[in-house]
Amino acid sequence: MLPVADLVDQHCHGVLRTELGLGTFEARLATAAGTPAPGTTFFDTQTGFAVRRWCPPLLGLEPHCPPARYLARRRELGVAETGRRLLRATGVSTCLVDTGLPGDLTGPAEIAAAAGVDAGEIVRLEPLAERVADTSATVGSFLADLAAAVHTAAASAVAFTSAAAVRHGLAADPGPPWPGEVRGAAGRWLAGRAAERRAARSGAGGPGTPCAAPDDPVLLRHLLWTAIACGRPLQLQLRSTDPRRMAGFAAATAGLGSDLVLLHSYPHHRYAAQLASIHPHVYADAGAAPTRTGARAAAVLAEVLELAPFGKLLFSSGAQGLPELHVVGARQFCEALGRVLGGWVADGAWSRTDAMRVAAMIASGNARRVYGLDRRPA
């Protein structure tokens, strides 16, 4: 094993402030919506086994204890103390927190206090557009206010991120849309939101029915290009999207001053690594996959290291909701990285000095450079 002295989590979310029952907790272990098959549980996944391996000892229990016993201990300690113990055991020194998800999740300041780390905010573009739309009376005011909101956010955020734009906005045309196209798309979206609000007031949509998030390809491309103009890194959350769909956008944004970071590319991680090897401003995430792949994490990480230059890879846990996922993300990544690089040292392919240097790059050095963390005011 190779020790990792500094670990920067370049993309994570807050943790829930509320106590969870067995069913709610195990649902948070899943990587997609849905329920387990009858008579089964999401604890019977690589993520579930990793939680049972790493987290019980942090709460005073033996590894791999039964889920019911673990959750009983969790309730005994309480949400705040459980979160504090788990988050402080990750080995992470800096968390970059995506604040764009709904729900009762802690923000960057709370994560920093509970974990005893530095924290920065990542602004998600789609919810930002929704907030601007809620206070804009016309298409013109919406577009002007949106540009101002993105530029204002860039003054304090470490990065922007987008989840929907990759899936909906870049397949046909990766370039910036024409102003007339943008006005048309914005008008259609605002009109749709107004209709939804009227339906909600009349009772047709049900109380508290949320207005639709932006999903028009033109409007989503406009969001991305507005963020690119600010010069901040832009994280693109691929999920199940093939990274090869990003090739045109990567080419179009080359030389404009914003780095692109491809997140959550598993099971297409090799394509993301390949894209990072082609474009100087494109980086690939090497950390979130170990959380999902558990005991196979080293094999997946080795595949990423086959293709991407080591200076183009960064760690993230991708954790959301459960502090356990912060622990698993960090522990699985560090163990997988140690196994892969340590194995190459043992085989004589690498020197230990080089292995330690590359491990430090991927664990923290690359993130500190891309996001300018060492230049941020204290």
Side-chain angles (χ1 to χ4, degrees):
M1 294 291 293
L2 295 169
V4 174
D6 184 27
L7 191 60
V8 172
D9 189 343
Q10 68 150 344
H11 185 265
C12 64
H13 303 271
V15 300
L16 289 164
R17 299 184 178 95
T18 52
E19 189 60 78
L20 302 176
L22 176 60
T24 309
F25 184 94
E26 74 167 53
R28 290 278 176 170
L29 297 176
T31 57
T35 58
T40 69
T41 168
F42 283 133
F43 271 103
D44 287 332
T45 59
Q46 290 284 12
T47 302
F49 271 64
V51 166
R52 292 175 56 210
R53 173 191 181 185
W54 295 111
C55 297
L58 302 177
L59 304 186
L61 300 171
E62 72 277 8
H64 304 293
C65 73
R69 185 180 178 195
Y70 176 76
L71 291 179
R73 175 59 173 163
R74 211 178 184 274
R75 289 191 296 272
E76 177 185 329
L77 291 171
V79 172
E81 178 62 15
T82 296
R84 189 190 69 82
R85 291 192 184 193
L86 293 173
L87 291 173
R88 287 179 179 254
T90 62
V92 170
S93 64
T94 303
C95 288
L96 306 186
V97 184
D98 176 353
T99 56
L101 289 184
D104 189 21
L105 299 174
T106 55
E110 293 168 278
I111 287 284
V117 300
D118 294 328
E121 182 180 13
I122 301 166
V123 172
R124 189 177 290 219
L125 292 170
E126 293 85 4
L128 179 62
E130 293 179 68
R131 292 194 295 272
V132 173
D134 287 339
T135 60
S136 299
T138 66
V139 171
S141 64
F142 166 70
L143 293 175
D145 292 346
L146 179 61
V150 172
H151 283 79
T152 297
S156 58
V158 294
F160 291 105
T161 189
S162 172
V166 175
R167 294 191 295 273
H168 299 294
L170 297 174
D173 183 357
W178 293 102
E181 294 180 289
V182 175
R183 290 186 64 86
R188 290 189 296 272
W189 182 53
L190 293 176
R193 287 172 64 87
E196 290 170 359
R197 284 193 292 269
R198 289 193 297 270
R201 286 194 295 270
S202 68
T209 301
C211 293
D215 61 0
D216 186 287
V218 171
L219 186 55
L220 290 168
R221 277 165 48 216
H222 176 68
L223 278 174
L224 293 182
W225 281 98
T226 302
I228 287 290
C230 295
R232 289 292 189 195
L234 175 60
Q235 298 179 344
L236 298 168
Q237 302 184 39
L238 301 178
R239 301 298 178 185
S240 59
T241 304
D242 189 334
R244 286 175 291 188
R245 296 181 66 186
M246 296 298 304
F249 187 66
T253 54
L256 298 182
S258 287
D259 291 323
L260 306 181
V261 184
L262 307 182
L263 297 178
H264 314 317
S265 58
Y266 183 82
H268 304 295
H269 49 287
R270 293 176 65 89
Y271 296 130
Q274 185 177 34
L275 203 60
S277 74
I278 296 172
H279 299 281
H281 68 304
V282 176
Y283 294 78
D285 183 89
T291 303
R292 296 179 59 182
T293 54
R296 290 284 297 165
V300 174
L301 183 58
E303 291 180 341
V304 175
L305 291 169
E306 289 176 8
L307 293 165
F310 308 129
K312 306 297 290 297
L313 298 173
L314 301 87
F315 161 73
S316 80
S317 67
Q320 60 176 276
L322 302 179
E324 285 83 357
L325 298 180
H326 288 258
V327 173
V328 168
R331 296 289 182 93
Q332 289 288 143
F333 169 75
C334 290
E335 182 182 75
L337 188 64
R339 282 189 183 182
V340 174
L341 300 188
W344 295 343
V345 171
D347 291 341
W350 285 32
S351 71
R352 183 174 178 82
T353 299
D354 281 336
M356 293 291 291
R357 181 173 58 83
V358 170
M361 290 167 59
I362 299 172
S364 62
N366 295 336
R368 292 191 177 281
R369 184 181 74 253
V370 170
Y371 299 106
L373 299 183
D374 294 332
R375 300 192 301 271
R376 296 181 71 215

